[in-house]
Amino acid sequence: MKIRKNAIHYNVMVLPGIIFLILFSIVPMFYAVMAFQNFKPGRGIWGSEWVGLENFSYLFMLPDSRLIFFNTVFLAVMKIIANLIIPLVFALLLNEVRQRFMRKTIQTIVYLPHFLSWVLLATIFFDVFSLDGMVNKLFGLFGVDPILFYASNKWFPGIIIATDVWKEFGFNAIVYLAALTGINPVLYEAADIDGASRFRQLWHVTLPGVRTTVVLLGTLALGNVMNANFDQIFNMYNPLVYQSSDIIDTYVYRVGLNDLQYSLATAVGLLKSVVSFILVVVSYFMASRFANYRIF
Amino acid sequence: MKAKLLLLTLAFSLVLSACSSVNKGSSSDEKSNNGSAANTQSNSGGGTTKPSDEDLAYEKYKDPVTLTIGFKIPDDKLADGDTNDNNIASRYFESLTNIKVVHSWEAKGDDAFKQKVNLAIASNDLPDAMVVDRNQLRKLIDNDMLEDLTDVYDQYGSKLVKDIYASTKGMALQDATSDGKLYGLPNVAIEADAPSLLWVRQDWLDKLKLQAPKTIDDIEKIAQAFVDQDPDGNNKKDTLGLTGDKQVVYGQKPNPNGFDSIFGSYHAFPKNWIKDANGNVVYGSVTPENKEALAKLADWYKRGLIDQQFALYKETQEPIVANKTGLFFGPWWMPYWPLADSVTNDTKADWHAYAVPTDKDGKFVTHMAPVTDRYIVVRKGYEHPEAAVKMLNVFTRYERRQDPNTAEVKKLDDYAVATGVHIRNYYPFDLLLDYSDAVVKRYEAVQKALKGEVDPATFDPDTKQVYDFSVIEKENPKKNMDAWKPAIAYAQGGRILATEPMDKVYSVFYGTTRTMETKWATLEKLENETFLKIIVGDLPVSAFDDFTAQWKKLGGDQITAEVTDIVNKK
């Protein structure tokens, strides 16, 4: 009753969000028709010539397209897996630290990189991994020949994944830590009385306790498979490693803005959106099925 | 009722449009009145003679005019309080013209600038005027986004500007003309800008007792020695052989670190449209000669003779400025930049230019560049298109040392010497005009004067300045870097261009065809990436054959046919 009386306030509060959504998410969707045109900015959407599916057929002819789809999915899947497991392991370990002060300090330190921008980190990593950088100096001590990490298609995807995990694992661990504190301590006491070791407790009490969280985060991440993090890759990659790290978003940026091929870029972007849409639906379905997660 | 309403609206709109046309008429009348008033004023002594073009070209606006532009941020460090849009140069040009130049946006570096321009085109949000490249000009004309400058240029262009354009035999203006309308004011590139010379640290050569290079094998030997024998003498293996750029070749006007000359020595001309032995028009990047050049470069890279990290630099001149290298390719003007920085960092550096490598017949083969590659364009609908022309007049007059306001010019010169700031970096547009054979002529004149054969007092101001700087440099080497830059650029680069025989290969086509509009960017991307990957060993040299096949399939054949068509029609 009370809620209904105040409903107008809530609606007003939602309004800016809705306007924002319409302006930046709904309206731009209309421009996706560029993918079916030979778009010329001077003539606008209405004045440009329609070419049907020509952009798409050209897209499939390009050797790049298979590459960027593969790279996008590969990098994103590897990141999702790494970003599920490593923070979980970290959270479990941190949870075993009994000194409160110690725990808080470690937690704070590892989540700080989350707040640094990729522009900054890319420069730092470039120095760290360059020919006379820290990593190569360290390898040199063991007699390994210097490796050009940034120019090697073998090493570069690993660097992308590792640096992404390094930046985010502290932040991602927060959810797990929250889930861990939610586990009823009585269960541990009971397990203790039954003679369970620390490891047994972890196996039979802690892990089942966070299982739903892991499944939920995993399925939600599925909707993001087509996003391999433009920010990071754009700032770190170079022409030598396009082969292993060029993703849809960076490709769209280069083709669209650098080469002025608006229609082709839109076609690529549209294709990505369609696939993403399907994945979001699937992951939402799975989330509601397995983790009982529902928005509505 | 409805019909009445409609009639009423119609009538109303008619009245409105009539009003606006009347307004337009009266305002243009006003303008011409103003103009004649100003003329009679300025000619108050001489009666009613019409003002000459020259007066119009340099006439100062009575009321301030605003001109918004896109600006490329230079490296220079301005004095405190000065900014990119408010500094000694911008204040001077504003005082001459009463044009207030406002920067709509600024971008640092060529790539960023290009992207900003592309973004402006894509969003249909152009500044009043800006400098664009050939592709962007094509796009803008296609999209009908540019003001027609034909009449404005006729009326307001200064004699100096028109003379320089005339020295290209009409080619420059033709380049910016479409359907008989002039859409941009092109730069005029001097011919000398095209050949890519080999720049070598002579002091390193001498120290390692090496001969001056002539052939590919000589370069190989020098690169090997520079890598292995510690030419900078710091007992560390930290020097590089040949440096490169991720672009691999520039194809037209070179910059530091392009491999154009290596390709030229194998008679390959990537990125140029040429005629093959049978007279067919072919694209230079897909001819088999490229394969030999790529094989050689790939071999060098593998053996460490080419800088292993060359593709990773954000700015291609990094190793040159840091004096890590003593061997790179670049055009004649390298001493202005980046070599001046190299010498500032290490005063022992002694750079010499060579027209090498030669081909198997001992000739230096080089592709030539188009006369123009940049254009000032004016947004369609800008009220004062002549403002852009006037700006060009004013800074060209200053650049060519013909500015009559000697006191002001001296102030600018003194400022430049005292601070090391390049005044030309703060012109509103990055667009230089010079006679196309200027460098060679100037070099020869200066040499004669240095030998005492001619009197330098007879020189035009440009040549005189080079002469003066050469004298300063001769008396006190490397003391005054402002003198060093032109003196060495002419003594090394200019000398090679004037004295070394060269096989000059001209491209038969520079424009854009219909299919190019949609497919060229993709093909170019494929080409750039393939070349780069072959050199660094990501792809075997045999991948060049796959590339040519793919290039043809993805639109190359069609484009070649179109280009052939155009060339044959000429």
Side-chain angles (χ1 to χ4, degrees):
Chain A
M1 193 61 210
K2 191 108 191 229
I3 289 175
R4 189 169 299 164
K5 216 170 87 189
N6 289 330
I8 181 78
H9 301 284
Y10 295 115
N11 287 338
V12 169
M13 276 163 70
V14 163
L15 203 62
I18 289 181
I19 292 174
F20 198 80
L21 194 75
I22 290 173
L23 269 183
F24 292 102
S25 298
I26 313 270
V27 173
M29 264 198 243
F30 170 71
Y31 289 92
V33 300
M34 272 163 65
F36 306 97
Q37 296 183 321
N38 180 9
F39 178 72
K40 306 212 156 155
R43 306 215 181 112
I45 293 278
W46 301 115
S48 294
E49 164 200 6
W50 294 90
V51 295
L53 291 174
E54 195 182 287
N55 289 317
F56 289 93
S57 57
Y58 191 62
L59 167 69
F60 286 113
M61 262 171 78
L62 289 178
D64 294 339
S65 52
R66 253 157 293 152
L67 200 70
I68 56 169
F69 271 92
F70 173 78
N71 284 340
T72 309
V73 174
F74 174 75
L75 286 174
V77 168
M78 293 312 275
K79 277 182 182 176
I80 289 171
I81 294 172
N83 274 330
L84 274 181
I85 295 173
I86 292 169
L88 176 64
V89 172
F90 173 72
L92 291 174
L93 289 174
L94 195 64
N95 201 40
E96 298 299 309
V97 175
R98 287 293 154 215
Q99 268 175 303
R100 211 182 117 80
F101 173 75
M102 189 75 158
R103 204 165 61 199
K104 290 279 166 204
T105 315
I106 294 176
Q107 202 184 329
T108 310
I109 290 172
V110 297
Y111 96 18
L112 271 182
H114 171 76
F115 297 100
L116 299 176
S117 79
W118 276 115
V119 181
L120 186 72
L121 288 177
T123 325
I124 295 172
F125 285 132
F126 185 79
D127 275 349
V128 170
F129 289 106
S130 73
L131 262 190
D132 43 9
M134 228 159 64
V135 176
N136 270 322
K137 286 228 171 89
L138 194 71
F139 278 24
L141 294 181
F142 300 99
V144 181
D145 280 338
I147 301 166
L148 255 177
F149 292 101
Y150 265 52
S152 149
N153 284 308
K154 203 167 70 189
W155 289 93
F156 195 69
I159 288 177
I160 289 278
I161 295 161
T163 52
D164 185 66
V165 170
W166 175 81
K167 184 173 185 288
E168 301 297 345
F169 83 92
F171 196 78
N172 289 337
I174 292 176
V175 181
Y176 292 119
L177 286 169
L180 288 175
T181 44
I183 296 172
N184 194 343
V186 173
L187 293 175
Y188 289 105
E189 280 167 29
D192 208 15
I193 290 167
D194 286 347
S197 65
R198 258 284 167 74
F199 187 73
R200 280 279 160 198
Q201 288 180 20
L202 178 89
W203 190 252
H204 291 290
V205 182
T206 316
L207 277 182
V210 293
R211 194 182 57 200
T212 39
T213 316
V214 176
V215 172
L216 177 66
L217 288 180
T219 40
L220 283 184
L222 203 60
N224 252 343
V225 157
M226 300 305 275
N227 290 325
N229 197 346
F230 172 84
D231 243 15
Q232 178 197 14
I233 293 175
F234 176 71
N235 280 304
M236 287 177 70
Y237 78 165
N238 63 72
L240 289 181
V241 288
Y242 281 169
Q243 199 186 331
S244 62
S245 66
D246 201 8
I247 58 169
I248 296 176
D249 292 333
T250 51
Y251 184 79
V252 166
Y253 166 80
R254 281 207 322 278
V255 168
L257 266 187
N258 283 4
D259 301 342
L260 298 170
Q261 292 176 291
Y262 312 115
S263 291
L264 185 64
T266 315
V268 181
L270 188 62
L271 218 56
K272 178 193 154 182
S273 302
V274 171
V275 179
S276 292
F277 176 73
I278 294 169
L279 285 170
V280 167
V281 171
V282 168
S283 65
Y284 179 70
F285 176 76
M286 281 166 65
S288 75
R289 190 80 187 268
F290 297 116
N292 210 17
Y293 172 87
R294 278 190 190 83
I295 302 174
F296 302 111
Chain B
M1 185 64 200
K2 250 183 192 166
K4 243 187 196 169
L5 203 71
L6 196 71
L7 265 175
L8 205 71
T9 357
L10 261 176
F12 191 62
S13 62
L14 262 176
V15 170
L16 263 183
S17 62
C19 278
S20 63
S21 69
V22 164
N23 271 341
K24 243 182 226 155
S26 69
S27 74
S28 66
D29 279 351
E30 224 167 67
K31 215 185 260 165
S32 58
N33 278 341
N34 264 347
S36 58
N39 290 340
T40 39
Q41 245 176 14
S42 63
N43 293 327
S44 51
T48 54
T49 47
K50 270 196 78 182
S52 72
D53 285 353
E54 214 52 7
D55 290 339
L56 264 186
Y58 297 111
E59 186 185 49
K60 190 175 172 178
Y61 281 107
K62 290 189 70 164
D63 303 316
V65 164
T66 311
L67 174 73
T68 60
I69 63 164
F71 186 75
K72 196 186 282 175
I73 304 173
D75 282 330
D76 308 55
K77 289 196 178 57
L78 288 164
D80 281 343
D82 276 0
T83 58
N84 287 327
D85 54 356
N86 181 11
N87 52 62
I88 189 162
S90 72
R91 284 192 294 268
Y92 175 59
F93 295 127
E94 190 179 336
S95 77
L96 285 181
T97 57
N98 214 3
I99 298 170
K100 173 88 194 137
V101 175
V102 176
H103 294 181
S104 283
W105 43 261
E106 298 178 348
K108 171 111 198 220
D110 287 341
D111 286 347
F113 183 79
K114 187 181 157 199
Q115 280 169 24
K116 280 273 193 187
V117 175
N118 286 348
L119 197 61
I121 300 172
S123 58
N124 205 353
D125 179 21
L126 303 180
D128 294 335
M130 62 180 174
V131 175
V132 299
D133 65 27
R134 188 185 299 273
N135 288 335
Q136 290 160 345
L137 177 75
R138 198 56 47 194
K139 205 99 198 164
L140 285 164
I141 295 177
D142 266 3
N143 291 340
D144 193 24
M145 289 159 81
L146 295 182
E147 187 76 27
D148 175 9
L149 298 176
T150 321
D151 298 336
V152 176
Y153 166 72
D154 257 3
Q155 232 181 321
Y156 292 92
S158 68
K159 187 171 176 311
L160 177 66
V161 168
K162 285 179 175 165
D163 276 357
I164 293 175
Y165 283 146
S167 83
T168 66
K169 301 184 188 73
M171 270 159 75
L173 289 179
Q174 185 57 42
D175 220 27
T177 305
S178 174
D179 295 332
K181 289 180 186 153
L182 182 68
Y183 282 109
L185 297 167
N187 66 333
V188 176
I190 38 187
E191 232 188 14
D193 278 354
S196 187
L197 313 171
L198 183 70
W199 289 86
V200 186
R201 280 277 298 253
Q202 195 67 34
D203 52 320
W204 287 10
L205 269 192
D206 296 344
K207 190 173 167 197
L208 304 179
K209 304 199 170 53
L210 293 164
Q211 293 293 311
K214 270 217 81 69
T215 61
I216 291 254
D217 294 337
D218 295 344
I219 298 178
E220 191 171 314
K221 243 176 265 153
I222 293 174
Q224 186 82 60
F226 279 4
V227 172
D228 293 339
Q229 301 181 20
D230 189 26
D232 61 350
N234 65 354
N235 289 323
K236 274 190 225 156
K237 202 180 164 187
D238 60 352
T239 42
L240 308 167
L242 191 60
T243 53
D245 184 272
K246 53 178 176 285
Q247 278 230 24
V248 182
V249 287
Y250 290 99
Q252 303 193 338
K253 276 205 300 193
N255 257 322
N257 293 333
F259 292 133
D260 300 55
S261 295
I262 303 253
F263 283 83
S265 74
Y266 288 99
H267 293 227
F269 305 99
K271 292 187 192 297
N272 286 276
W273 291 94
I274 50 167
K275 286 203 172 162
D276 67 4
N278 305 324
N280 297 323
V281 174
V282 288
Y283 184 56
S285 299
V286 294
T287 58
E289 287 88 357
N290 287 283
K291 204 170 165 182
E292 297 170 50
L294 285 170
K296 180 55 91 180
L297 288 169
D299 176 48
W300 284 2
Y301 185 84
K302 202 165 144 205
R303 289 161 54 194
L305 304 186
I306 294 176
D307 180 4
Q308 299 291 298
Q309 299 199 76
F310 80 88
L312 306 184
Y313 297 118
K314 288 258 187 286
E315 315 242 1
T316 177
Q317 79 283 6
E318 268 176 49
I320 303 172
V321 172
N323 283 309
K324 295 225 169 225
T325 183
L327 199 64
F328 74 97
F329 287 100
W332 73 276
W333 48 264
M334 286 292 102
Y336 286 95
W337 175 93
L339 288 186
D341 294 337
S342 150
V343 175
T344 312
N345 292 339
D346 177 6
T347 46
K348 287 193 300 295
D350 183 17
W351 290 94
H352 280 214
Y354 294 95
V356 289
T358 50
D359 67 359
K360 53 185 185 302
D361 301 329
K363 266 191 248 151
F364 180 68
V365 187
T366 178
H367 64 70
M368 296 308 282
V371 159
T372 61
D373 60 359
R374 292 199 296 279
Y375 315 83
I376 298 179
V377 294
V378 175
R379 164 177 73 84
K380 195 178 183 106
Y382 176 54
E383 301 83 2
H384 298 285
E386 74 281 357
V389 182
K390 286 188 168 197
M391 265 298 168
L392 177 68
N393 292 337
V394 171
F395 72 72
T396 303
R397 183 176 66 173
Y398 172 79
E399 175 71 25
R400 298 275 70 91
R401 316 300 302 172
Q402 301 192 1
D403 197 324
N405 309 310
T406 39
E408 291 285 343
V409 170
K410 177 145 190 342
K411 233 189 261 170
L412 286 175
D413 288 350
D414 290 346
Y415 175 85
V417 171
T419 58
V421 170
H422 300 61
I423 300 294
R424 60 167 275 199
N425 286 345
Y426 292 93
Y427 298 165
F429 305 108
D430 172 26
L431 193 106
L432 292 193
L433 298 180
D434 207 343
Y435 297 98
S436 61
D437 57 352
V439 171
V440 171
K441 282 253 173 73
R442 232 167 264 150
Y443 165 78
E444 283 164 352
V446 168
Q447 285 309 306
K448 275 185 191 152
L450 286 174
K451 283 182 207 137
E453 289 167 20
V454 288
D455 180 9
T458 59
F459 287 166
D460 65 87
D462 261 340
T463 314
K464 178 78 168 51
Q465 195 182 36
V466 175
Y467 170 78
D468 289 344
F469 278 142
S470 299
V471 172
I472 296 175
E473 176 61 23
K474 217 173 182 179
E475 283 163 0
N476 268 319
K478 291 179 188 164
K479 279 283 174 311
N480 176 349
M481 285 313 283
D482 270 311
W484 183 87
K485 287 175 206 166
I488 300 302
Y490 280 93
Q492 290 296 330
R495 172 178 55 86
I496 298 287
L497 294 165
T499 57
E500 293 284 331
M502 291 183 190
D503 254 11
K504 296 175 181 172
V505 176
Y506 286 86
S507 201
V508 291
F509 178 74
Y510 290 114
T512 317
T513 69
R514 215 183 124 53
T515 311
M516 271 179 163
E517 272 168 33
T518 49
K519 310 232 156 122
W520 193 247
T522 311
L523 293 178
E524 223 173 10
K525 184 169 163 293
L526 182 70
E527 174 191 332
N528 291 346
E529 287 176 17
T530 308
F531 277 34
L532 186 59
K533 279 182 186 166
I534 289 178
I535 293 176
V536 300
D538 274 358
L539 289 174
V541 179
S542 58
F544 179 77
D545 301 325
D546 303 337
F547 155 71
T548 50
Q550 212 161 37
W551 186 87
K552 287 177 179 166
K553 198 179 81 189
L554 287 172
D557 271 342
Q558 200 180 344
I559 292 170
T560 308
E562 286 171 355
V563 172
T564 309
D565 228 34
I566 298 174
V567 170
N568 289 342
K569 250 187 240 157
K570 262 185 199 164

